């Protein structure tokens, strides 16, 4: 019995060897990507929210005065937006069975952006860590009124590293999809 | 006429389709990797030397007192050592035609280490940049006796970024080799 999954009109008969097992595997693989995307989105959104709310009114330091913290916020916000977009792409692919862009564009777009944004996020978080560590020794952190500012910056940077971890995992999977595409001329990995 | 290139004893007859053209392409590809390795080695070595010599005697700041600069030195020294090793591997492969380790181990070793060390180096250089930028506003840099300390740190970090660039390019090529290995069961990319 044929599975009730519609092949796209452009499919050649040679694509019909994709069995139910392959499609189930592809679906599981896509779900795993979706989980990583959601997690990366959550962490980077949390990181940028923690950073952007990091001010205690006048008299207290403000995150926007520090370059490194602006970089952390910007990188995390970009990754959060990108992850949100990729979540949509992933849900679209799981529900319709087709990619949003043409397939070759989609696999390279995902992999390229994953790589670039992973490097961007790591760079921002490292800069943030180095700067937060430097701040520790200064009056900005030792004044009791502003101690929570430094704690909150640390949390934001740490959340950013967690976001980087899951973006890196997504990048591995999308790299795998690129390899599958090169081998088979299709993202089906069997 | 058969080319005078010896196939290894374990080769099955199916491997004999590697023509002179393929071997010439492989050799050109390996030479390109070697060039990137040499450049990455040069830059990261220069960066670590600039950092380790960054002291002007007593009364002047010393690089070893700053965590971020120690990180920059360590990451660049690790990458320089790794690149030196990979240069040896690359020369070995170009001259003998065989990989140093078993082929599957070699392609994954190269790619895995390239990726990890590229992230390590970027992280160190970002941390170094953030810290060097913070130092600029402090007495450490504004005192005329120590101004050259800050300039030399900046140069060291910039050289580290150049090393990262070439390590990243090597990583692209070694990733390509992994894909070839997965497709063909051999690093020959045709």
């Amino acid at each position: 019995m044929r599975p009730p999954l519609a092949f796209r009109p452009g499919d050649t008969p040679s694509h019909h060897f994709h069995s139910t097992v392959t499609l189930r595997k592809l679906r599981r693989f896509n779900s795993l990507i979706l989980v990583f995307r959601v997690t990366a989105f959550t962490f980077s959104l949390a990181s940028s929210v923690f950073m952007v709310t990091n001010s205690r009114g006048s008299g207290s330091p403000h995150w926007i005065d520090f370059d490194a913290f602006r970089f952390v916020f910007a990188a995390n916000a970009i990754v959060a937006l990108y992850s949100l977009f990729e979540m949509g792409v992933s849900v679209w692919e799981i529900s319709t069975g087709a990619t949003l862009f043409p397939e070759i564009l989609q696999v390279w777009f995902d992999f390229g952006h994953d790589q670039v944004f992973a490097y961007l996020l790591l760079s921002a978080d490292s800069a943030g860590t180095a700067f937060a560590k430097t701040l520790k020794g200064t009056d900005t952190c030792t004044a009791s009124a502003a101690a929570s500012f430094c704690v909150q910056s640390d949390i934001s940077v740490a959340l950013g590293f967690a976001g980087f971890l899951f973006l890196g995992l997504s990048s591995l999977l999308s790299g795998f999809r690129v390899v599958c595409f090169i081998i088979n001329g299709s993202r089906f990995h069997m």
Side-chain angles (χ1 to χ4, degrees), chain A residues 58-122:
Chain A
S58 62
S60 157
H62 199 286
W63 68 276
I64 214 159
D65 299 331
F66 305 107
D67 278 345
F69 290 163
R70 283 210 299 269
F71 187 21
V72 170
F73 167 72
N76 275 292
I78 289 170
V79 168
L81 284 177
Y82 168 70
S83 297
L84 189 64
F85 170 73
E86 284 288 343
M87 274 160 59
V89 168
S90 204
V91 168
W92 172 276
E93 186 174 336
I94 290 172
S95 55
T96 68
T99 51
L100 190 64
F101 302 146
E103 202 168 339
I104 184 166
L105 187 63
Q106 184 74 59
V107 294
W108 282 106
F109 178 91
D110 292 352
F111 179 61
H113 283 77
D114 282 355
Q115 284 276 309
V116 170
F117 287 143
Y119 279 118
L120 175 75
L121 195 55
L122 182 68

Side-chain angles (χ1 to χ4, degrees), chain A residues 72 121-131 157 161:
Chain A
V72 170
L121 195 55
L122 182 68
S123 176
D125 290 332
S126 300
T129 309
F131 186 71
V157 170
F161 275 114

Side-chain angles (χ1 to χ4, degrees), chain A residues 20-39:
Chain A
T20 329
V21 177
T22 312
L23 285 168
R24 203 182 312 130
K25 277 188 182 172
L26 182 70
R27 193 170 283 249
R28 204 182 302 153
F29 186 78
N30 284 338
S31 309
L32 189 62
I33 291 188
L34 182 60
V35 169
F36 287 153
R37 298 282 183 209
V38 172
T39 320

